[in-house]
């Protein structure tokens, strides 16, 4: 199944579980990192989906743009009056050195031509600017569970295994990055949460949420996050 078709189908209920519990925590940890590097600057979100994160980024960035492959997702982003374009991460429709920060969450794991995609994201980042690149970590609780669980339905006719998915640790990501880009740090998201549904139980949600916030930037442990956000700076 084409990635574009997969997300067009997913767009109809993509936001159903967002805005609370586990999904809110993950969104918060991602947006907080964008604000750390992008407050007052120009930001591009590559793979913005329906614009849930981009709408929040717009509140603190000097300028916020989004791009996505899925027309279905972008229709919802445009309804939020966000500045978005339809495009692939392998062919970013912006000039070189256009943005202070380029971020991408839960997208690069579904890109087969990862070196080409990263080269494009680096191209549109200004020298001295930052890239926040999220990958699926094989050395995590989430990675282990994904290897053993049955497929999950995203609609009446397809599952989450219908689209290409890659798992990359930090060493692999370093190898994908072009010359002139240095890894600055990493943030681990979903370090200790085994199952998202545990956040439906209020005491567990408070306990797990508090731990996740503390461990996201904790040296060593952060590398165990199910979602590994690599922060890299364009130096060359």
């Amino acid at each position: 199944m084409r990635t574009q078709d997969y997300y067009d189908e997913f767009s109809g209920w993509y936001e159903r579980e967002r805005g609370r519990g586990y999904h809110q925590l993950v969104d918060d940890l991602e947006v907080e990192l964008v604000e750390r590097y992008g407050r007052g600057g120009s930001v591009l979100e590559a793979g913005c989906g329906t614009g849930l994160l981009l709408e929040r980024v717009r509140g603190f960035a000097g300028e916020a743009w989004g791009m996505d492959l899925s027309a279905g997702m972008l229709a919802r982003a445009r309804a939020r009056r966000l500045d978005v374009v339809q495009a692939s991460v392998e062919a970013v429709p912006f000039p070189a050195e256009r943005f202070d920060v380029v971020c991408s969450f839960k997208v690069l794991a579904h890109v087969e031509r990862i070196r080409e995609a990263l080269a494009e994201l680096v191209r549109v980042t200004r020298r001295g600017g930052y890239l926040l690149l999220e990958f699926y970590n094989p050395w995590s609780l989430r990675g282990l569970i994904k290897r053993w669980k049955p497929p999950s339905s995203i609609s009446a006719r397809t599952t989450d295994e219908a689209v290409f998915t890659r798992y990359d640790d930090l060493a692999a990501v370093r190898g994908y990055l072009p010359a002139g880009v240095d890894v600055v740090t990493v943030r681990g998201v979903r370090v200790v949460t085994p199952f998202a549904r545990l956040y439906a139980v209020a005491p567990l949600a408070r306990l797990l949420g508090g731990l996740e916030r503390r461990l996201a930037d904790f040296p060593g442990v952060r590398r165990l996050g199910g979602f590994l956000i690599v922060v890299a700076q364009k130096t060359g």
Side-chain angles (χ1 to χ4, degrees):
M1 187 177 198
R2 292 191 313 159
T3 303
Q4 181 175 351
D5 296 335
Y6 174 88
Y7 281 102
D8 282 345
E9 181 142 346
F10 199 5
S11 66
W13 64 273
Y14 177 76
E15 296 186 16
R16 188 174 66 192
E17 299 297 327
R18 305 292 288 269
R20 62 180 184 273
Y22 163 79
H23 297 283
Q24 184 66 49
L25 172 72
V26 172
D27 287 355
D28 288 349
L29 290 173
E30 292 167 344
V31 171
E32 286 167 12
L33 197 62
V34 180
E35 185 171 11
R36 183 183 301 176
Y37 292 93
R39 171 168 282 279
S42 56
V43 178
L44 170 67
E45 184 183 3
C48 64
T50 63
L52 276 175
L53 301 189
L54 187 63
E55 187 173 40
R56 294 173 62 181
V57 170
R58 182 175 61 179
F60 57 75
E63 177 187 21
W65 279 86
M67 52 175 280
D68 203 278
L69 196 61
S70 166
M73 292 284 188
L74 288 177
R76 293 173 177 265
R78 290 191 177 105
R80 290 186 158 96
R81 299 185 181 278
L82 296 168
D83 292 323
V84 294
V85 294
Q86 185 173 10
S88 164
V89 290
E90 296 174 29
V92 181
F94 291 98
E97 307 214 353
R98 172 67 173 78
F99 296 98
D100 297 309
V101 171
V102 173
C103 60
S104 186
F105 303 111
K106 299 178 185 65
V107 171
L108 298 174
H110 303 297
V111 177
E112 293 189 62
R113 289 161 48 91
I114 190 64
R115 287 181 174 85
E116 290 82 355
L118 292 180
E120 273 291 271
L121 298 183
V122 170
R123 179 184 65 81
V124 299
T125 305
R126 70 167 178 83
R127 189 170 302 184
Y130 292 90
L131 298 104
L132 315 180
L133 309 169
E134 188 174 79
F135 291 84
Y136 294 173
N137 184 6
W139 310 115
S140 65
L141 278 174
R142 181 182 181 276
L144 179 64
I145 290 167
K146 285 287 187 179
R147 283 195 288 272
W148 289 99
K149 80 170 187 64
S152 301
S153 296
I154 68 151
S155 74
R157 70 184 185 96
T158 194
T159 72
D160 60 355
E161 293 190 358
V163 67
F164 171 84
T165 303
R166 65 184 317 117
Y167 288 81
D168 297 295
D169 60 14
L170 181 58
V173 175
R174 287 184 190 273
Y176 300 148
L177 291 169
V181 179
D182 298 329
V183 172
V184 175
T185 188
V186 297
R187 167 167 270 204
V189 176
R190 190 171 169 173
V191 176
V192 294
T193 298
F195 302 103
R197 62 177 176 268
L198 293 177
Y199 283 74
V201 181
L204 283 176
R206 288 192 294 271
L207 173 63
L208 289 171
L211 284 172
E212 292 290 357
R213 290 184 180 279
R214 289 178 176 84
L215 297 177
D217 297 313
F218 196 85
V221 178
R222 61 191 174 190
R223 293 198 185 189
L224 299 178
F227 304 112
L228 195 64
I229 308 176
V230 177
V231 179
Q233 186 175 30
K234 182 176 178 178
T235 56

